[in-house]
Amino acid sequence: MEHRFISKKHSQNIDTVMFELPADLKQDKNIIDLSIGVPDFITPKVIIERAMQDAMNGHTKYTEPKGDPEFIREIIKFYDHEYNYNFTEKEVMAVVGACHGMYLVLEAIIDEGDEVIIHEPYFTPYKEQIKLVGGKTVILKTVEEDNFSINIDKLKALITKKTKAIILNSPNNPTGAFFDKELLNEIAKVAIENDLIIISDEVYDSFTYKEKFLPIASIPGMKERTITIGSFSKGYAMTGWRIGYVIATDYIIECIKNINENMCYSAPSISQRAALHALRLREKVQPRIINEVKKRIFYSYERINKIKGLSVLPPKGSIYHFINIKGTGMSSVEFSKMIAEKTKVILIPGTAFGDSGEGYVRIACIVGVEKLKEAFDRIEKVL
């Protein structure tokens, strides 16, 4: 959109909405929306109650710029207990969700023209955020035949003198790919040999179905060159609280703290209290969420592979399926539009996640099995 009141750098800005619901369907009560990754769970009641009690007790003011010290210490305890990975209070900061954390990190480390490698299909905002900070996106394509995993030789071939960082996202949105310990060790070796930074988006660390999640920062030699981004949105059903964190070396945390003081100063105090209680109560509140998502994921996997023209890989992680629709003969956009119009089931075209997403659509398992059954019944009928 060009206008004299819009800066030239944003006059051709790309809308990052992954799928625009047709206007005539927005008010339809029969819609089953499997597009955006917002599960139908309400934040566990005990988390809400304790956060609200904290608010009543006075936790309604700004926290320290890096976060509520009590919350920060709870994050440190979590990583020590779950992954035997240790860091200090100077190496972690509360942020307003993972996207905010990613932007702050990129702003802190990227100079004009620096290259950042992202594996495609990718979480849509990565590319635009890299552009906003003056960096250049370099695409590493992954393919279904390799389980959408990273090919190390292809990764090495993309590295130049301008390469500054690699963004990893495992478990992956949109493909559900999971990078095991062996692959992470290979990526770590590449990062060390080429003096690169790894930005590890670990939003879906709670949702793994084959192997236990491993933070790449915990691999020997990687702590000083890894920036970890975490979130409470999915694993604790806290999307609306907008709370996450960044773990990095102290000088990077200090830098993003200084940048953020000119943006929003600190993450919301009440949200930090809620996240603190989520961590303390995780053994009580998380199993129900994770088990329900797992039930939905595996039910969907079975149903998808029984529908003519569709197929999907066995679940490894995340809350998504990246469905191969090539057997239908339609493009990703054509298929998504047809399904929306004929079945009132909303999917996201794979091309929203990069060019190599053509021939695929993404669904988010954000509704219960009964509703998923209805969605797949409708899709099966029209196919």
Side-chain angles (χ1 to χ4, degrees), residues 78-133:
F78 169 78
Y79 274 83
D80 180 33
H81 182 270
E82 294 294 326
Y83 306 119
N84 194 29
Y85 176 56
N86 304 111
F87 47 91
T88 69
E89 293 182 37
K90 293 182 178 180
E91 296 172 308
V92 59
M93 175 173 157
V95 292
V96 189
C99 283
H100 177 232
M102 178 65 77
Y103 180 81
L104 290 174
V105 165
L106 291 169
E107 182 68 37
I109 71 170
I110 299 300
D111 287 314
E112 192 75 29
D114 281 349
E115 295 177 351
V116 181
I117 297 173
I118 60 176
H119 49 98
E120 184 186 271
Y122 52 80
F123 177 51
T124 310
Y126 292 160
K127 190 174 181 180
E128 284 305 301
Q129 287 191 334
I130 292 167
K131 178 182 175 183
L132 285 171
V133 301

Side-chain angles (χ1 to χ4, degrees), residues 280-319:
R280 288 179 177 171
L281 297 166
R282 65 184 180 277
E283 292 181 1
K284 177 180 180 180
V285 301
Q286 262 204 323
R288 182 184 67 84
I289 295 171
I290 294 169
N291 290 337
E292 176 60 23
V293 170
K294 185 176 181 180
K295 184 167 68 173
R296 297 173 181 187
I297 283 282
F298 279 88
Y299 171 78
S300 300
Y301 165 69
E302 296 292 339
R303 282 301 306 271
I304 291 163
N305 284 314
K306 291 177 180 177
I307 298 176
K308 183 179 179 182
L310 307 184
S311 65
V312 72
L313 292 172
K316 288 189 175 181
S318 86
I319 65 173

